[in-house]
Amino acid sequence: MSAQRRPESRADWQALADSLTLECRAFIDGDFGAAASGDTFATRNPATGEILAQVASCDAPDAERAVAAAQAAFESGVWSRLAPGKRKKALLKLADLMEAHKHELALLDTLDMGKPVTSAQGDTAGAIACLRYNAESIDKVYGEVAPTGEESLALVLREPLGVVASIVPWNFPLMMTAWKIAPALAAGNSVILKPSEKSPLSALRLAQLAREAGLPRGVFQVLPGFGHTVGKALALSMAVDCLSFTGSTATGKQLMQYAGQSNLKRVYLECGGKSPNLIFADCKDLDRVARHAAAAIFHNQGEVCIAGSRLLVENPIRDAFVDKVLAAAERMQPGDPLDPESFMGAIVDEAQHRRILDYIRRGVEEGARLRTGGEALEGRGLFIPPTVFDGVTPQMAIGREEIFGPVLAVFGFDSEEEAIAMANDSDYGLAAGLWSQDIDRIMRVTRRLHSGQVFVNNWAGGDQTVPFGGVKQSGNGRDKSMHSLQEYSELKTVWMALAP
Ligand code: NAD
């Protein structure tokens, strides 16, 4: 296992890209192969339009085969009943292999979905940390002995669920994958991963590494393909015990229906957001806050579930603050994703590009004031610059709906009460930010925000030790931390009658 040399420049990354051999086949029951139908789909580099690969397009027969293999592996106990310390060892080995191939993994996400390679490197580090955290945790989780009388002994055991299907999106392909599969595998489940059809390459490379790490056949499988084909088949399967999903709210709602139509499988959802970022006039260093407010929406081209897409600014500082946000945005223009200096990259595909531009057009039609951006950049790839609308109202589409692109909606408020009401006036509740120096206000407002996470005087802070997830239509699950590990196990009560 030799570590790859660290690429330093655009040319280094391009050279690494030119040297890659892409795995494009499905990974079922320990082997790579074509989809049963022989069908494939093209995955493109959105920065250049180039087709990167033709990838196996799995469908219901592939799902059926993978579920059968997952069940067989689970029942055999080869992983599900393996001592937690041994599962830990295998997963740490996988993490080490990921570390040894981290540049390649980051590059695959950049090529596949257009994110800047520096940002993809951060995602890869996060994915490796997630693997290690869950591997290290699993042999420290205890069951319980209930406080019953002497005539009985009652145990509460934690057992794996069975077959977990993880369905993930394209915006953080490797990191979202790790957030799902690491706790599910650590807990002893058999896991079937369905990556997004827009970004399947890093998942397939991960499958190669998992095989090299010695994960037994059927324990980890990867089915590339579309949501309405292989994704739906997994979700409707009577033998899948849990769906763990990250993606849009619309798909999340469908998955709950599929669970109801089939076997009442558990459904953990991490869905969309329209997150408010509240700027109070008392906060210090407005230049710094403005830089963070801009990065909160323009990071990853705005294709972030917790993007700070609604900026709520106290009216006395609003004009001056928006000017500072515009100045910060000016320095965040999209660039070549392979250039380590680029802050923003390409939009994932033409459909998403069109959708973002449609929202921008609606914003103008609905009377919001376009302060910067708004037009796609000319050239080969799919690039949209930072776009800022001021004078947005909660009735406007750009003020309510998740755009999933580099579009910031600015609102003004006059009082704390009004700010809280505006922040909570949303179907979503994934994240919220609040900037102030007043600790009483911070706690007052924090407690009243309907949100799974609140960032105080920062945006998107967190690490592997704290849960990540939302309330309302942003979903019901939690990724990361010991809370996510527990989601992938079931409680079993054992009541033993003892002779007096
Ligand atoms: P999406 O819902 O279109 O697709 C997500 C995944 O679901 C893909 O793998 C897709 O193939 C699959 N899918 C689609 N329809 C399906 C169906 N009928 N049955 C089974 N599977 C199906 O979402 P997307 O466009 O890939 O990702 C963007 C969305 O993800 C945004 O809404 C974003 O907010 C959300 N997201 C949320 C989080 C979070 O942690 N809350 C993190 C990242 C992204």
Side-chain angles (χ1 to χ4, degrees), residues 103-243:
H103 305 309
E104 181 188 342
L105 288 167
L107 180 59
L108 288 173
D109 280 355
T110 288
L111 295 173
D112 226 1
M113 58 68 67
K115 71 167 58 209
V117 74
T118 302
S119 167
Q121 285 178 291
D123 299 355
T124 306
I128 296 167
C130 180
L131 252 293
R132 291 201 170 121
Y133 178 93
N134 284 285
E136 288 290 356
S137 300
I138 197 60
D139 61 356
K140 293 151 192 93
V141 176
Y142 290 77
E144 296 164 13
V145 177
T148 58
E150 284 187 9
E151 292 177 5
S152 58
L153 175 63
L155 308 177
V156 184
L157 306 181
R158 276 206 169 270
E159 297 190 336
L161 302 171
V163 179
V164 173
S166 299
I167 300 181
V168 296
W170 47 264
N171 61 336
F172 292 89
L174 186 69
M175 199 166 79
M176 293 298 108
T177 290
W179 288 8
K180 302 296 182 199
I181 69 159
L185 285 171
N189 298 283
S190 295
V191 177
I192 303 173
L193 170 68
K194 209 295 277 171
S196 169
E197 58 278 18
K198 300 182 187 187
S199 59
L201 296 178
S202 60
L204 292 169
R205 183 70 183 105
L206 187 65
Q208 291 179 328
L209 299 178
R211 186 159 76 167
E212 199 179 329
L215 267 66
R217 282 174 173 268
V219 166
F220 177 58
Q221 306 179 82
V222 181
L223 301 185
F226 292 90
H228 63 275
T229 56
V230 67
K232 181 174 174 184
L234 289 169
L236 280 169
S237 168
M238 295 298 286
V240 168
D241 301 286
C242 170
L243 278 178

Side-chain angles (χ1 to χ4, degrees), residues 241-265:
D241 301 286
C242 170
L243 278 178
S244 75
F245 170 74
T246 298
S248 64
T249 295
T251 306
K253 288 182 182 184
Q254 270 183 323
L255 297 188
M256 284 193 140
Q257 289 185 6
Y258 295 151
Q261 286 164 24
S262 53
N263 61 345
L264 281 186
K265 53 179 70 65

Side-chain angles (χ1 to χ4, degrees), residues 133 453 461-469 478-483:
Y133 178 93
Q453 46 214 321
D463 67 15
Q464 191 51 48
T465 60
V466 290
F468 182 105
R478 289 294 180 271
D479 286 324
K480 307 202 294 179
S481 83
M482 295 302 282
H483 294 280

Side-chain angles (χ1 to χ4, degrees), residues 416-417 420-421 424 443-451:
E416 192 177 295
E417 210 47 48
I420 294 169
N424 288 340
M443 281 321 296
R444 229 174 16 240
V445 176
T446 294
R447 287 189 194 284
R448 290 185 58 197
L449 289 171
H450 302 161
S451 179

